[in-house]
C-alpha cells in the first residue's frame, strides 16, 4: 500500500515544512536532536538548511520507509488504517510503534480496537502529555476508524 491523500494531508498539516533546522524543544536541543523539512530528524544538525525540493524529496523517502515497514506486516488494512499508521510512525520511531505492545502487538493479533486504542499512548514528550500530540493522535484515531475494519 501507499500513503493516501488523507494521510498525506494529516502528516503535512501537523509537521509543517521548515527549510532551516530547528530544535522542537529545549530537551531536544540539549540532546542534539534537530528537525528540518517535513519533520525529518535523520542526519540533521544545527545550522542545516534545505530547499523546498529537497524537503519534498526527503518527505517521499521518509514516507516510503514507513510504508515498507507497515506493508511488511502483511495485514489486511484499509487505506484509512494504513494512512493513520504511517502518520503515527512518521511522528515516532517506527520500530517502537510496530514492535511495541500498544499498537504493534494488537495489529499482529488483528485486534483493530486494541490497536486503535494504542494510538492514545503516544501523546508524551519528555514523559509529559503534550496538547499537540493529543490532538494529532485524536486525528489519527479518527482516520484509523473512518472506514469499516477488515474481518479477522
Amino acid at each position: 500500500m501507499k500513503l493516501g491523500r488523507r494521510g498525506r494531508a494529516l502528516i503535512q498539516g501537523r509537521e509543517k515544512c521548515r527549510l532551516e533546522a530547528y530544535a522542537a524543544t529545549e530537551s531536544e536541543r540539549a540532546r542534539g536532536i534537530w528537525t528540518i523539512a517535513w519533520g525529518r530528524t535523520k542526519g540533521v544538525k544545527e545550522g542545516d538548511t534545505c530547499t523546498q525540493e529537497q524537503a519534498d524529496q526527503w518527505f517521499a523517502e521518509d514516507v516510503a520507509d514507513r510504508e515498507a515497514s507497515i506493508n511488511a506486516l502483511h495485514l489486511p488494512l484499509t487505506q484509512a488504517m494504513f494512512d493513520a499508521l504511517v502518520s503515527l510512525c512518521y511522528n515516532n520511531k517506527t520500530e517502537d510503534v510496530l514492535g511495541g505492545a500498544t499498537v504493534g502487538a494488537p495489529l499482529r493479533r488483528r485486534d483493530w480496537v486494541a490497536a486503535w486504542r494504542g494510538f492514545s499512548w503516544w501523546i508524551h514528550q519528555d514523559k509529559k502529555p503534550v496538547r499537540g500530540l493529543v490532538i494529532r493522535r485524536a486525528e489519527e484515531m479518527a482516520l484509523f476508524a473512518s472506514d469499516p475494519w477488515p474481518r479477522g
Side-chain angles (χ1 to χ4, degrees), residues 29-88:
R29 180 184 302 275
R31 292 180 290 157
I33 299 173
W34 293 86
T35 304
I36 199 167
W38 296 103
R40 185 180 185 98
T41 57
K42 181 180 171 184
V44 181
K45 60 188 178 311
E46 184 176 8
D48 284 353
T49 61
C50 68
T51 65
Q52 186 64 53
E53 294 76 23
Q54 184 64 63
D56 293 342
Q57 178 61 39
W58 284 336
F59 179 78
E61 292 170 7
D62 292 342
V63 164
D65 287 346
R66 276 62 173 199
E67 290 169 340
S69 295
I70 296 165
N71 283 323
L73 297 174
H74 303 290
L75 295 170
L77 301 172
T78 67
Q79 186 66 54
M81 294 165 78
F82 185 82
D83 286 359
L85 287 165
V86 171
S87 179
L88 179 64

Side-chain angles (χ1 to χ4, degrees), residues 59-148:
F59 179 78
E61 292 170 7
D62 292 342
V63 164
D65 287 346
R66 276 62 173 199
E67 290 169 340
S69 295
I70 296 165
N71 283 323
L73 297 174
H74 303 290
L75 295 170
L77 301 172
T78 67
Q79 186 66 54
M81 294 165 78
F82 185 82
D83 286 359
L85 287 165
V86 171
S87 179
L88 179 64
C89 290
Y90 195 92
N91 188 229
N92 296 282
K93 290 182 180 174
T94 302
E95 59 273 13
D96 291 347
V97 172
L98 299 181
T102 58
V103 176
L107 281 175
R108 289 187 296 283
R109 292 191 311 269
R110 298 180 185 204
D111 183 345
W112 311 130
V113 173
W116 172 80
R117 277 191 205 116
F119 278 71
S120 66
W121 286 92
W122 296 88
I123 61 167
H124 299 90
Q125 190 168 34
D126 299 326
K127 300 183 181 179
K128 297 177 186 162
V130 175
R131 183 177 187 276
L133 293 178
V134 171
I135 294 167
R136 183 172 180 158
R137 297 297 94 86
E139 291 173 347
E140 291 163 349
M141 290 172 79
L143 179 58
F144 189 90
S146 66
D147 293 337

